[in-house]
Amino acid sequence: MACKMRKQVFFLWWFGMAAQLCFLLGVSAKKTSFRRNIREINSSLIHFPFTVNTRHHKQVVIDNGIVSVKLANPKGYVIGISYSGIDNLLDTKLKENNRGYVDVVWNKTGKEANTFQRFHYMAISDTRQRNMPTTKDRSTGKTLAYPEAVRITRPSNPRFMGEVDDKYQYSTENQDNTLHGWITKDSKATVGIWTITPSNEFRNCGPIKQDLTSHLGPTFLNMFMSTHYAGKNVAMSFGQGETYKKVFGPFYTYLNSASSDAQFRSLWSDAVQQRSKEVQSWPYVFPQSKDFIPPNQRGTVAGCFEIQDRFVAIEGSQPAVNAYIGLALPGDAGSWQEESKGYQFWTRTDENGHFAITNIVPGKYNLYGWVHGFIGDYKYEAIITITPGCAITLDSLVYIPPRNGPTLWEIGIPDRSAAEFYIPYPQPRLRNNLYKNDDKEKFRQYGLWARYSDLYPLNDLVYTVGVSDYRKDWFFAHVSRSIGNTYQPTTWQIIFELQNNTLRGGDYTLQLALASASGAEVQVRLNDPGAYSPLFTTGLIGDDNAIARHGNHGLYWFYTINIPSSHLVKGTNTIYLRQARAASPFVGVMYDYIRLESPAPLCASLCM
């Protein structure tokens, strides 16, 4: 029997220097600090007539008889949401400024409150859904390597015994961060509350940047921008006289209800359908602000993206299939991944390399891209100026990825992540049961950095080309080794053979792509691990904390390293990759892809 739904919705349209919208459902999260006044709030209940009540001089109440939203005046805090017979879905035991709010995080203060939780079931995606522990379970647990991670030791429900609760375990890439929320099975009603973000154009650092979603509290966040999985250098900073303007949102807060507790999961399916409607309706036409650009004032850029690698396909270029291509503020190739001030508009190419980027806010942009299976970043050199209503068609765009010669060997897949490498299971006492049988999401388990020391207690990783399998033999993160209460640098080896027919004069090339770096330094030596000066060093790089925050990637780093043939010998050669920093267990890098190229054949160089 189909579930009968009662549903009603409201928009909250926030703009200004807002970092996130946070709803606290039933109990506070350990958060908050510096608050910013909201300059303007435009709330609109749709589908049904509504009233706005301002009789209480410190509150504004928007009500249509089904959903009632109470806002603090003039601060703009969301202090109450009434729906389906429940007086307030938010935690009434907390202060008004600590229930639902726009918050610029400055520092962390306050204590977690141990109050009754109405919401227990969290849903982030079709597969990432679960009943959650309570805040009391957290407060009585054991804090682990950082405050956000707690091992539950005295649970209210035995099924949570020994689990780790950590909000970073529920992070999602911007491109997928469109819907998440909570469901309550209550004696009064079975209710879902969701945040739907139909466009990520206003989020920072591009489509694959990761950020927080819902987590224990119960809390759900709408993150507009943050430094998570990227580092402090992506935070907005402005020089004297420098100005930017960007609208954060609108986004959609959606409530629905089911006729029985047994059908509570159908609320997720209903929210998914509503998300599709909102995506199709973007950009919205109802906002009255001159700063929100309506659809008829936006532009379009279309074209065909191709790739040309003479050592992969000799005859010209090939379609760049399922490639990422997008517009961001003008900058260097790849600069979009550290850009927070402007809008970004991204799409994927089809099987023929065709693309169309739609609903672009007028302004000046560079066009950027990258292709799965190929290294490096593409940039279209000309500035693209979007004017109201324009439709720009570009000529065929050809990306020539970095390449100096044919491939001798390679490790990994150039996809900007460490997902293909060996990701261990967590220690049994540090698991999150949501990912217990999920190999795809296994990297989200707590403490995987420490498993390197378990697997390599005395000697470091050795990878033999032609024998080893990177899916089993290449640890996903190059981290330090734990020795008691201290940490020491680690050196990985890549052993490979060069015979007479492959050892040639000229420069060889090592292409080194990193998927993440956190306070790390990778030094490259060849055939002499004790050489005082490395052949190459990255220097100190990275602040993305992806290792500690359960990511399989942070920011992308790419290096082309020349290796004179005089450094190589006929027979066995060894490349030593030393991660020379060891300040903490979270210091290290994730490799994306490594390739050794031989010098290009003379005819290939002359014929191109």
Side-chain angles (χ1 to χ4, degrees):
M1 180 178 178
C3 175
K4 294 182 180 179
M5 293 282 182
R6 291 180 58 227
K7 54 188 179 182
Q8 181 53 32
V9 297
F10 63 90
F11 283 100
L12 293 178
W13 180 24
W14 311 93
F15 58 96
M17 285 294 295
Q20 64 193 36
L21 180 97
C22 177
F23 279 106
L24 297 150
L25 311 174
V27 70
S28 170
K30 188 175 183 180
K31 195 170 264 305
T32 85
S33 49
F34 176 68
R35 297 282 193 272
R36 222 187 139 81
N37 289 353
I38 303 169
R39 296 180 180 177
E40 181 176 354
I41 299 177
N42 181 346
S43 301
S44 176
L45 284 157
I46 63 172
H47 301 314
F48 296 91
F50 66 92
T51 61
V52 178
N53 186 337
T54 59
R55 284 177 293 182
H56 192 300
H57 72 283
K58 291 186 177 181
Q59 295 179 356
V60 175
V61 180
I62 304 172
D63 193 333
N64 72 347
I66 299 176
V67 176
S68 177
V69 182
K70 185 182 296 184
L71 306 172
N73 182 23
K75 301 289 187 178
Y77 302 127
V78 184
I79 58 179
I81 301 174
S82 300
Y83 173 68
S84 192
I86 300 174
D87 292 337
N88 198 345
L89 297 175
L90 306 186
D91 185 1
T92 58
K93 294 184 179 180
L94 296 175
K95 293 181 179 179
E96 290 185 349
N97 65 355
N98 200 23
R99 299 181 196 169
Y101 53 85
V102 173
D103 177 31
V104 177
V105 176
W106 187 262
N107 56 25
K108 296 181 178 179
T109 60
K111 296 181 179 180
E112 295 178 290
N114 298 324
T115 58
F116 170 75
Q117 281 186 315
R118 187 183 299 277
F119 290 85
H120 293 279
Y121 191 84
M122 184 182 73
I124 297 170
S125 71
D126 289 339
T127 58
R128 299 171 71 191
Q129 302 183 16
R130 64 167 300 180
N131 284 297
M132 291 290 285
T134 67
T135 301
K136 184 176 181 180
D137 293 339
R138 269 190 64 93
S139 66
T140 57
K142 178 183 178 182
T143 301
L144 298 174
Y146 46 86
E148 293 86 347
V150 171
R151 182 172 181 261
I152 296 170
T153 56
R154 296 171 58 191
S156 54
N157 188 317
R159 63 182 164 180
F160 299 127
M161 174 61 76
E163 281 203 64
V164 172
D165 177 74
D166 185 343
K167 65 182 180 180
Y168 298 117
Q169 294 176 322
Y170 306 109
S171 296
T172 298
E173 291 182 349
N174 282 347
Q175 62 187 348
D176 300 319
N177 193 354
T178 54
L179 169 67
H180 59 89
W182 290 82
I183 298 172
T184 176
K185 293 188 293 181
D186 192 87
S187 58
K188 294 182 179 179
T190 299
V191 171
I193 183 166
W194 314 96
T195 180
I196 297 174
T197 309
S199 172
N200 58 43
E201 64 188 37
F202 48 83
R203 287 180 167 148
N204 67 327
C205 302
I208 64 171
K209 195 260 187 190
Q210 298 177 89
D211 226 320
L212 300 174
T213 58
S214 291
H215 61 84
L216 191 149
T219 299
F220 73 97
L221 303 168
N222 197 321
M223 301 294 293
F224 302 148
M225 60 160 293
S226 78
T227 61
H228 295 145
Y229 303 93
K232 297 177 182 178
N233 58 324
V234 308
M236 286 188 182
S237 60
F238 297 89
Q240 184 67 33
E242 181 185 12
T243 60
Y244 284 89
K245 181 185 291 186
K246 177 164 65 172
V247 175
F248 293 95
F251 63 92
Y252 197 29
T253 301
Y254 181 66
L255 298 109
N256 55 11
S257 59
S259 57
S260 71
D261 290 353
Q263 295 172 323
F264 78 99
R265 286 188 178 88
S266 64
L267 298 180
W268 167 258
S269 300
D270 176 69
V272 169
Q273 294 179 25
Q274 189 65 40
R275 173 183 60 187
S276 297
K277 294 177 183 178
E278 301 311 313
V279 171
Q280 293 170 11
S281 300
W282 184 267
Y284 296 125
V285 295
F286 72 85
Q288 298 300 304
S289 171
K290 62 182 175 57
D291 294 317
F292 184 79
I293 308 302
N296 63 355
Q297 295 296 307
R298 297 186 176 216
T300 300
V301 173
C304 183
F305 192 30
E306 300 178 344
I307 191 159
Q308 182 176 329
D309 186 333
R310 67 185 187 273
F311 292 103
V312 174
I314 297 176
E315 297 181 1
S317 58
Q318 305 293 320
V321 179
N322 206 31
Y324 285 84
I325 194 155
L327 296 172
L329 286 183
D332 297 329
S335 61
W336 54 268
Q337 71 170 347
E338 297 182 88
E339 200 283 301
S340 297
K341 296 176 182 176
Y343 294 98
Q344 295 199 23
F345 303 89
W346 288 87
T347 191
R348 304 291 289 273
T349 59
D350 64 17
E351 60 184 7
N352 298 311
H354 295 140
F355 66 90
I357 306 172
T358 59
N359 297 317
I360 308 166
V361 171
K364 295 184 180 297
Y365 301 90
N366 272 139
L367 183 74
Y368 304 95
W370 82 93
V371 186
H372 179 93
F374 295 87
I375 55 179
D377 279 281
Y378 171 80
K379 174 189 170 184
Y380 183 67
E381 289 300 327
I383 295 291
I384 295 177
T385 301
I386 301 297
T387 57
C390 73
I392 299 173
T393 301
L394 301 174
D395 296 331
S396 291
L397 311 175
V398 179
Y399 173 47
I400 302 175
R403 168 77 77 169
N404 290 329
T407 299
L408 285 175
W409 51 260
E410 59 188 349
I411 300 173
I413 301 170
D415 61 358
R416 298 175 182 250
S417 85
E420 69 271 29
F421 298 127
Y422 176 69
I423 299 174
Y425 287 101
Q427 295 180 359
R429 62 185 184 87
L430 296 174
R431 68 190 182 281
N432 182 321
N433 284 331
L434 177 61
Y435 306 118
K436 182 171 61 175
N437 300 313
D438 189 345
D439 285 341
K440 183 179 179 182
E441 304 282 354
K442 186 168 59 174
F443 66 91
R444 300 188 189 278
Q445 294 277 15
Y446 173 86
L448 298 186
W449 59 83
R451 299 288 285 121
Y452 180 80
S453 298
D454 295 337
L455 296 170
Y456 300 91
L458 299 176
N459 300 309
D460 285 320
L461 183 150
V462 177
Y463 186 92
T464 302
V465 173
V467 177
S468 301
D469 182 344
Y470 63 76
R471 294 168 296 184
K472 301 176 182 178
D473 303 317
W474 190 270
F475 197 76
F476 81 104
H478 192 166
V479 293
S480 54
R481 178 185 287 104
S482 173
I483 305 294
N485 294 323
T486 63
Y487 303 91
Q488 64 177 206
T490 53
T491 303
W492 293 8
Q493 300 179 44
I494 304 173
I495 299 173
F496 61 98
E497 299 289 325
L498 285 179
Q499 305 304 326
N500 285 336
N501 61 335
T502 54
L503 182 57
R504 305 175 54 240
D507 286 347
Y508 288 69
T509 303
L510 184 69
Q511 307 284 14
L512 178 64
L514 306 179
S516 168
S518 298
E521 178 183 1
V522 178
Q523 299 174 349
V524 180
R525 292 175 172 83
L526 183 60
N527 291 331
D528 182 5
Y532 179 77
S533 297
L535 182 68
F536 169 83
T537 179
T538 62
L540 177 62
I541 57 171
D543 187 29
D544 62 37
N545 286 330
I547 293 171
R549 289 174 171 162
H550 325 301
N552 59 15
H553 70 86
L555 296 185
Y556 180 73
W557 302 77
F558 178 71
Y559 303 94
T560 294
I561 304 165
N562 291 328
I563 300 177
S565 58
S566 59
H567 285 62
L568 297 163
V569 299
K570 182 177 70 173
T572 302
N573 291 265
T574 304
I575 290 176
Y576 297 92
L577 300 175
R578 180 173 177 80
Q579 201 300 97
R581 307 280 176 155
S584 81
F586 312 128
V587 166
V589 299
M590 297 181 196
Y591 296 100
D592 169 40
Y593 176 73
I594 304 173
R595 181 172 74 213
L596 183 65
E597 302 168 359
S598 67
L602 182 60
C603 66
S605 300
L606 294 177
C607 293
M608 292 305 296

